[in-house]
Amino acid sequence: MTQQIRIGITGYGNLGRGVEAALQQSPDMRLVGVFSRREPASVQLLDTSVPVYAIDEVTAYQDEIDVMILCGGSKADLPEQGPYMAGLFNTVDSYDTHAQIPEYYNSVDKPARESGHVYLLCAGWDPGLFSINRLVGEAILPVGETYTFWGKGLSQGHSDAVRRVPGVKAGVQYTIPSTDAIERVRSGALPELSTKEKHVRECYVVLEEGADADQVRQAIVTMPAYFADYDTTVHFIDENTLANEHSAMPHGGFVIRSGKSALDNDQVMEFSLKLNSNPEFTASVLVAYARAVHRLSRLSDIGAKTVFDIAPGLLSPKSPAQLRKELL
Amino acid sequence: MTQQIRIGITGYGNLGRGVEAALQQSPDMRLVGVFSRREPASVQLLDTSVPVYAIDEVTAYQDEIDVMILCGGSKADLPEQGPYMAGLFNTVDSYDTHAQIPEYYNSVDKPARESGHVYLLCAGWDPGLFSINRLVGEAILPVGETYTFWGKGLSQGHSDAVRRVPGVKAGVQYTIPSTDAIERVRSGALPELSTKEKHVRECYVVLEEGADADQVRQAIVTMPAYFADYDTTVHFIDENTLANEHSAMPHGGFVIRSGKSALDNDQVMEFSLKLNSNPEFTASVLVAYARAVHRLSRLSDIGAKTVFDIAPGLLSPKSPAQLRKELL
């Protein structure tokens, strides 16, 4: 085997742990260390032989890391860490605030160029694999419509909203694509659908002692912005059921391109994900793109990149000749 | 708009006509001419203002064509035309004899390099988009299995076999993915499935006058290699029904990657196509890849390429900044 790609992880929550796990399935890569804002001794890795460092020490490890994978959040962590790391390392992140991507891109492109590094932002599945499928769908079938459905998935923001309702002790919310809407799209009927027509919402709620179920249900289903416009179902469960059946982080969804050829034939392309662990899948995507970033850097490429700039072959550990023989 | 990409088509059957149609949906491209082995006057294009030339004249049009799209077959046409055109033009083809791809790659790579052209082989959906999904699936979920299902689709070879049975006047055969097998794969159960366990076969047959239906059915379902090992159904229909309901060329299929994360979570990725016209979809893919080939050539790239070498962004007429803003 050629030399292993040396990886660093910054931030060790669900996503960071997922990256550590995904690296264990990638023999061409090796985890050099984890950088955390927490006290290093308090961070428990899956592999306790891997060192944990304070994030302030990161500059000392520039020569030991080929690609840094940032596992912080898009709201507070990445806007600060991204531009900083871009000046120090080849970097991959999963920035996912769609509306601010152009600004974020510029904020990491400049330091990456100036320091001669490659920075791949927005790796994951949306943005990420879903984005690629939206692009390829409209490039190949330019006359048509693209539909993105999310779910079945645990929604953090909506779960928080449920838990803020008086009388709710604990609870989770799932976003579920509407079966009816998916079937209409798959049929090639090109329906016009708003996000709320494409999805239904399902809540699993544990009541506070003495709370009135009907009142809680009413407060949830009429909540503006979050639930009022959606077909929302509320199930009441006990704490054991919540712990046993609703502690996983499933997610997924569909990107469907429904097109019409110039000779009037319906053509439908569909990409879907069914994930039992959302953070572990995002982590798997980050690791594959870290491989691509390392290769681009070896070819003296520099600057900010997105998944749109990465040829598929760069994601695989196999050689181009092997890929052509085995997978084409 | 910047200058249009000037396209030539070699070969004008179902695929060539599909390419002409797809170009009509691509305002950044323009069809310069069609090259045929037939008498040019006998070739009827959709747009009669586009010139048809004898293929022997093709060398005279090197300065007028940015990308040549080859629309011949993999068996007889491309092994001869590919290496020849590689020395004259930037070229795209849909070569699809999987087992011979490495040899074919070499046969076009050398003349393309020597003449300074880009040659993209095996564009289409399998090989093509399905290949990309096989690659990305195993790169992101390295522990797991990949399943390719074909259909529902009209199979030319099997339709020919049906028509050779004594007593059969006319007929078609469809390959259909087994619903049961797909459900088992989607569940994450990682079943071991042979091609014949993944597909069923359905035949629509018009009998010769006086032919015995049971005898014909028996001859079909017991035919070695083609049908004996499959779950095969034979429907008898009249000639009008055949003409009205079975003259389209539908196809499609599924690529499913069923993986397991290092923390033991099931993760399933799925890509599928439902095509009312197989040749028109392959044509749409060829046109999008012709755009990418033109761009690579502008960047002074040369030599043979496959879909594995093409970054998704190169397929879209939109600028990288626009893609990041609108589709990421």
Side-chain angles (χ1 to χ4, degrees), chain B residues 6 15 28 37 68 82 112 115 146 163 194 208 210 219 223 229 241 289 296 300 319:
Chain B
R6 301 166 303 166
L15 185 59
D28 62 328
R37 279 180 312 207
M68 180 65 86
S115 65
T146 303
R163 290 188 286 257
S194 63
E208 299 271 14
M223 193 187 300
D229 295 338
T241 309
Y289 277 93
L296 287 181
S300 304
S319 74

Side-chain angles (χ1 to χ4, degrees), chain A residues 25 127 131 134-135 138 186 260-262 265-268 270 272 274 276-277 280 308 313 318 327-328, chain B residues 25 127 131 134 138 186 260-262 265-268 270 272 274 276-277 280 308 312-313 318 327-328:
Chain A
Q25 296 183 328
S131 318
R134 286 190 284 263
L135 185 163
E138 72 166 46
R186 283 186 180 150
K260 224 177 238 315
S261 75
N265 277 303
D266 289 341
Q267 317 274 42
V268 181
E270 178 171 333
S272 68
K274 202 174 74 190
N276 277 351
S277 169
E280 287 168 34
F308 295 158
K318 295 181 177 172
L327 295 175
L328 198 62
Chain B
Q25 296 182 327
S131 318
R134 287 190 284 262
E138 72 166 45
R186 281 184 180 152
K260 221 175 239 315
S261 75
N265 277 303
D266 290 341
Q267 315 274 43
V268 181
E270 178 171 335
S272 67
K274 204 174 70 189
N276 277 351
S277 169
E280 286 168 35
F308 295 159
K318 295 180 176 172
L327 294 176
L328 199 60

Side-chain angles (χ1 to χ4, degrees), chain B residues 20 24 31-34 44-53:
Chain B
E20 185 190 3
Q24 293 175 351
L31 178 58
V32 170
V34 169
Q44 292 293 314
L45 305 194
L46 300 170
D47 177 352
T48 53
S49 73
V50 173
V52 181
Y53 304 106

Side-chain angles (χ1 to χ4, degrees), chain B residues 96-107:
Chain B
D96 67 357
T97 309
H98 291 262
Q100 272 146 47
I101 288 172
E103 291 77 6
Y104 185 65
Y105 179 94
N106 292 332
S107 80

Side-chain angles (χ1 to χ4, degrees), chain A residues 15-33:
Chain A
L15 184 59
R17 189 171 53 245
V19 169
E20 185 190 3
L23 289 169
Q24 293 174 351
Q25 296 183 328
S26 308
D28 62 328
M29 305 173 121
R30 182 167 65 83
L31 178 58
V32 171

Side-chain angles (χ1 to χ4, degrees), chain A residues 10-216:
Chain A
T10 296
Y12 197 81
N14 287 324
L15 184 59
R17 189 171 53 245
V19 169
E20 185 190 3
L23 289 169
Q24 293 174 351
Q25 296 183 328
S26 308
D28 62 328
M29 305 173 121
R30 182 167 65 83
L31 178 58
V32 171
V34 168
F35 297 85
S36 174
R37 278 180 311 208
R38 288 181 275 162
E39 165 61 37
S42 74
V43 178
Q44 292 295 314
L45 305 194
L46 300 171
D47 177 352
T48 53
S49 73
V50 173
V52 181
Y53 304 107
I55 197 165
D56 304 334
E57 303 175 71
V58 77
T59 51
Y61 296 90
Q62 280 191 78
D63 292 341
E64 294 179 34
I65 289 172
D66 295 313
V67 185
M68 180 65 86
I69 302 182
L70 302 187
C71 298
S74 298
K75 206 165 170 183
D77 304 324
L78 296 176
E80 187 187 305
Q81 289 172 1
Y84 176 67
M85 295 291 187
L88 301 172
F89 297 97
N90 296 313
T91 311
V92 180
D93 76 26
S94 63
Y95 186 83
D96 67 357
T97 309
H98 290 261
Q100 272 147 46
I101 288 172
E103 291 77 4
Y104 186 65
Y105 179 94
N106 291 333
S107 80
V108 298
D109 186 48
K110 191 161 177 283
R113 284 186 186 282
E114 286 172 359
S115 64
H117 291 106
V118 174
Y119 194 110
L120 191 125
L121 56 147
C122 305
W125 59 273
D126 197 355
L129 303 184
F130 272 24
S131 318
I132 292 173
N133 280 277
R134 286 190 284 263
L135 185 163
V136 173
E138 72 166 46
I140 290 177
L141 299 172
V143 176
E145 289 293 334
T146 302
Y147 301 86
T148 302
F149 292 86
W150 294 277
K152 178 183 177 176
L154 187 78
S155 164
Q156 212 51 67
H158 285 77
S159 296
D160 289 344
V162 166
R163 290 188 285 256
R164 283 194 300 264
V165 170
V168 172
K169 186 170 184 186
V172 294
Q173 194 268 180
Y174 298 100
T175 304
I176 301 173
S178 154
T179 316
D180 176 58
I182 290 184
E183 287 314 315
R184 283 172 65 201
V185 167
R186 283 186 180 150
S187 75
L190 298 174
E192 286 203 26
L193 295 167
S194 63
T195 298
K196 70 188 179 206
E197 288 171 308
K198 289 191 293 183
H199 300 92
V200 302
R201 300 195 176 280
E202 209 159 298
C203 307
Y204 290 83
V205 169
V206 180
L207 289 172
E208 299 269 16
E209 211 175 302
D212 183 283
D214 281 343
Q215 219 168 316
V216 167

